Structure formats: C-alpha cells, structure tokens
Amino acid sequence: MPISPVLAQQIVPTPLASNSASSALVTSDSSANTINTADQPKKNDVTFDITQACNVPPYPKPAIPFGLHGDTTLKLMIDKNGKIDAFELLQSSGWKMLDMTAMKAIAGCQVIPPGNWIPSERLIRYKWKFGTGYVSPAKLDEASCKPSEKLRIAEDKEPGLGIVVGIYVSSSGKVVESKLQWGSDNEELNNESLRIAKSCEFTPAENSGKRIFNAESIRFLPKK
C-alpha cells in the first residue's frame, strides 16, 4: 500500500496564562517608587515552529505500513525560561505510537529564546496524515456497534482523552483486530470498549478506486 507520510503542525490560539507570582518587582527610595523594568517578566506572545524547535520526527516508521493517522492535541506549559515545563495530552490521534512520538520530542524543549517570561500555555495540534491516493478513509457505521450501558462513542469535537481503541479494518469493512491505545483505571470499562469496537462495521477505505485494509480508531466516553 503506497503511503507518503506527512506531518503538519498547527498552533491553536489560546489565552496566555500569567503567573501571579511573576509580577513586576518594585523598589522604593526616599523620593519615589519606581518599577524595575529590567526585572519585569515579559508577556510570551512569541510565535514558534515546534517541529523545528523540538525536532519532532516527521512520522514514526513502524506506523507507515498501517497508514496510522489522526490529530494529537497537546497543552503546553511554557516556563519563565522559555522551555516546555510540562504538557497534557488533551486528545489522542487514536494511536499511542503517534502521540508518544510527539510527546517524547517536546519534553523539556526550548521553544522560545531564553529570557524572563511570564509562564504561559499553548495548544498544539499535530496532524498526522498520509498519502494522497485515498478517495476516502474507512467510515464508521455507528449503528452497527453493539450498545453499551456504560460507554458511548465520542464525537470528534468533544473534549477529553477518554478510552481510545485502535482498530484494523479489512477491505470488506470488518474489524479484524482491535488494540487498546489509551485506557482508564477501570479494567471493566477498558474491556467493554474493546468489545464494542470489535462489533463495529465500516465503509471500507479506498485507494485509487480500490477498497483496502485500513487503520482507524474509536474514542469512548462514559455515559452519564
């Protein structure tokens, strides 16, 4: 299956979070109060290309034969020195291999020049995609999935990591294998997500007019 992997990176605008402990330093003398601007933290509105700053690999080679794809969305916490101090996986691409490729590359990365910055947050979305020969990817028929009293299939725009199951779909649209990518602390829910995923059917993916084997994923959220 010919695949031409491409990685596109998108910075999602988000309000910058300031740290109340990083306020301007004030000195005083007998005549007047003055602000020491040299020590005042600067607002971090610097633009950067995280793929260049953190040397994110373009695409993990083990993913190529399966055509793994999806969006990895991360929230970055950038410290006063311009480094990524911490991060949170907000939404999985559907494949732990792709998510971990991004997360390993950005840990502790210097994304903006060193300086005295107000700590801030940024949202980063990695769009992992492949090939231009696809007429369409495999499409889930939600009505075919067995119902559950505990879990439901998440909508694409719904927030939350949830339970993520990666699945391999045959050229006839049947699920031939399913693997837990991101699970919960509840083993019963993890097993339930695998049971549901295995029961689902798809409209097969197409490449150059031919139905093909394809990799997809399903995200589950608990029912309220």
Side-chain angles (χ1 to χ4, degrees):
M1 178 175 63
I3 297 173
S4 177
V6 178
L7 169 65
Q9 173 253 340
Q10 176 185 357
I11 295 179
V12 184
T14 184
L16 301 176
S18 62
N19 188 334
S20 59
S22 300
S23 56
L25 297 179
V26 179
T27 59
S28 62
D29 56 27
S30 57
S31 58
N33 291 337
T34 60
I35 297 177
N36 186 347
T37 57
D39 293 332
Q40 185 176 5
K42 296 176 291 184
K43 180 180 178 181
N44 174 8
D45 54 4
V46 180
T47 59
F48 57 87
D49 183 346
I50 197 169
T51 60
Q52 297 298 318
C54 304
N55 194 28
V56 180
Y59 197 93
K61 289 183 178 179
I64 293 175
F66 305 102
L68 306 186
H69 61 281
D71 294 357
T72 300
T73 303
L74 300 166
K75 180 168 73 173
L76 311 181
M77 278 64 85
I78 303 173
D79 67 15
K80 64 180 182 179
N81 298 311
K83 288 186 176 182
I84 297 175
D85 181 51
F87 57 84
E88 179 184 355
L89 177 62
L90 296 182
Q91 192 161 327
S92 171
S93 63
W95 299 94
K96 194 170 185 177
M97 182 189 303
L98 300 182
D99 301 333
M100 292 300 297
T101 296
M103 291 191 288
K104 287 179 180 178
I106 69 172
C109 179
Q110 184 87 43
V111 290
I112 60 175
N116 187 19
W117 302 99
I118 298 173
S120 61
E121 296 178 355
R122 298 284 181 92
L123 297 186
I124 295 293
R125 181 180 294 120
Y126 291 91
K127 300 182 75 68
W128 306 95
K129 55 185 180 180
F130 55 92
T132 55
Y134 274 82
V135 175
S136 64
K139 185 177 180 180
L140 174 65
D141 176 8
E142 286 196 30
S144 69
C145 303
K146 290 183 178 179
S148 170
E149 295 180 355
K150 300 175 182 178
L151 294 173
R152 62 181 179 85
I153 296 174
E155 299 290 338
D156 289 342
K157 294 183 179 180
E158 283 190 274
L161 179 59
I163 298 174
V164 182
V165 177
I167 52 181
Y168 298 98
V169 183
S170 72
S171 58
S172 63
K174 302 294 185 182
V175 175
V176 295
E177 187 176 1
S178 61
K179 294 182 178 180
L180 190 67
Q181 301 298 307
W182 295 103
S184 71
D185 295 332
N186 188 321
E187 193 66 24
E188 183 180 356
L189 290 183
N190 292 339
N191 291 332
E192 178 74 351
S193 68
L194 289 169
R195 181 191 70 80
I196 301 169
K198 290 176 182 177
S199 73
C200 297
E201 296 184 3
F202 288 74
T203 300
E206 293 186 4
N207 188 318
S208 301
K210 294 182 178 180
R211 291 186 170 187
I212 60 166
F213 171 95
N214 188 221
E216 292 294 334
S217 62
I218 304 177
R219 182 166 59 105
F220 296 94
L221 294 174
K223 284 186 174 180
K224 294 181 180 180

